[in-house]
């Protein structure tokens, strides 16, 4: 029986990808060894890492002005690494405080220089993305940092901030990368931990405009410099080969199903179904402002914390798992990334309906 895993990450991967990985695991392309046993400098792995990069370039329409890097340490290491590399001496960086992950990114930046908040929705428990025309931006900032989708609070930018000349926009897209069409050229850098829409944990995708990597101060260690990953094609040291192999498989799958054009349509449909059910049923409430609703992490509550807990427990018995809200905020959270089929949403809605009838 299919288990629909609504976890925020590590999250479900496409069934076709899991099956392909299983089929290839012990004997990759007839070489007699699995991909995890092969040298990262051999021909078979070289093809894999090059294919992963090319797939990202094709799917997200990434130009040659940008490098595509695979870096260990997850998105959390990028919080520090981006500031170490890109926060220029004598300047400050702008940060939008839209959730717990944004706040963590901001905290790391302050370890390396001056950083300022341009907006915050912390006082209302991060229930919305502050209106872009209320932000107090610095036209001379080293960069502007945003979190495109707030995994814990369940908010997402419907529209991105205006790009100011000389202020590269840097986005943590960990929880909505490759879920919708975006213009990479609007960003100086995009980064994402892989374990939601891209593959297993253990690697972060970093898409960076190559000229920005020239800013790095001389004191930054080799392994923490973007230029190292750019110059060595993410092969300065032994990279997480299995995670990168999975990125190649997931991106192959995205291309097969029609790329971001197709995924955006499917994701819009899945989210619209779930939100319209939530709006129609007064048993459930959503704490998120309408214009900031995430299409990836749908956060809601029943009338009480006891019922929230009972909901999560009963859902798991019906093969609907991972629905517990983040430990910081409680409630219920359905993460519906690219790999969650529409059938999973249908089954969740039908469970929600029964649960509301029995407990309402
Ligand atoms: N940013 C966002 C938006 C996230 O959702 C997460 C993890 N859930 C992180 C950063 C941290 O990612 P990692 O665990 O890969 O460091």
């Amino acid at each position: 029986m299919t288990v629909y895993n609504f976890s925020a990450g590590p999250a479900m991967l496409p069934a076709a990808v899991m099956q392909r990985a299983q089929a290839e695991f012990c004997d990759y392309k007839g070489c007699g060894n699995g991909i995890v046993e092969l040298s990262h400098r051999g021909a078979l792995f070289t093809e894999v890492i090059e294919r992963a990069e090319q797939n990202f370039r094709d799917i997200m329409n990434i130009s040659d002005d940008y490098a595509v890097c695979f870096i260990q340490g997850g998105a959390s290491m990028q919080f520090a690494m981006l500031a170490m590399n890109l926060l220029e001496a004598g300047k400050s960086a702008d940060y939008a405080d839209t959730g717990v992950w944004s706040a963590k990114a901001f905290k790391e930046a302050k370890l390396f220089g001056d950083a300022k908040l341009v907006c915050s929705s912390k006082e209302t428990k991060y229930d919305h993305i502050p209106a872009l025309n209320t932000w107090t931006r610095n036209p001379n900032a080293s960069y502007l940092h945003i979190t495109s989708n707030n995994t814990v609070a369940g908010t997402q930018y419907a529209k991105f901030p205006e790009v100011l000349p000389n202020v590269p926009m840097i986005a943590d897209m960990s929880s909505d990368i490759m879920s919708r069409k975006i213009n990479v050229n609007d960003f100086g850098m995009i980064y994402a931990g892989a374990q939601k829409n891209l593959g297993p944990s253990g690697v972060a995708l970093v898409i960076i405009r190559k000229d920005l990597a020239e800013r790095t101060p001389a004191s930054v260690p080799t392994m923490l410099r973007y230029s190292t990953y750019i110059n060595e094609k993410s092969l300065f040291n032994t990279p997480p080969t299995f995670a990168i192999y999975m990125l190649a498989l997931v991106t192959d799958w995205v291309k097969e199903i029609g790329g971001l054009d197709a995924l955006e349509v499917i994701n819009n449909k899945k989210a619209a179904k779930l939100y319209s059910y939530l709006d129609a049923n007064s048993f459930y409430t959503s704490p998120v402002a309408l214009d900031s609703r995430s299409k990836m992490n749908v956060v809601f509550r029943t009338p009480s914390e006891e019922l929230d807990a009972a909901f999560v427990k009963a859902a798991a018995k019906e093969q609907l798992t991972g629905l517990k809200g983040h430990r910081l905020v409680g409630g219920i959270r359905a993460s519906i990334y690219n790999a969650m089929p529409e059938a999973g949403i249908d089954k969740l809605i039908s469970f929600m309906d029964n649960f509301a009838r029995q407990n309402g």
Side-chain angles (χ1 to χ4, degrees), residues 63-67 85-86 88 142 166-168 185 187-189 207-216 226-227 230-231:
S63 82
D64 285 342
D65 293 342
Y66 290 77
N85 281 264
L86 304 177
E88 297 156 293
S142 251
N166 306 321
V167 185
N185 295 325
F187 297 88
M189 179 179 134
I207 302 164
I208 180 170
R209 224 176 63 208
K210 288 175 190 162
D211 62 292
L212 293 176
E214 290 162 21
R215 286 185 182 184
T216 308
Y226 289 117
S227 57
I230 298 172
N231 298 338

Side-chain angles (χ1 to χ4, degrees), residues 275-334:
Y275 281 116
S276 44
Y277 175 75
L278 278 177
D279 289 342
N281 195 315
S282 59
F283 181 79
Y284 298 102
T285 47
S286 156
V288 175
L290 286 183
D291 63 356
S292 303
R293 283 176 159 179
S294 168
K295 292 175 182 166
M296 295 282 107
N297 309 98
V298 179
V299 170
F300 56 95
R301 292 180 182 283
T302 67
S304 72
E305 280 181 24
E306 292 70 36
L307 281 171
D308 287 347
F311 178 102
V312 170
K313 213 169 149 195
K317 285 200 184 124
E318 303 285 326
Q319 279 76 43
L320 300 165
T321 62
L323 283 158
K324 194 169 186 289
H326 191 276
R327 62 197 148 84
L328 290 175
V329 295
I332 300 163
R333 169 176 57 176

Side-chain angles (χ1 to χ4, degrees), residues 77-90:
M77 197 175 78
Q78 291 309 307
F79 296 163
M81 190 168 161
L82 73 91
M84 288 171 101
N85 281 264
L86 304 177
L87 182 43
E88 297 156 293

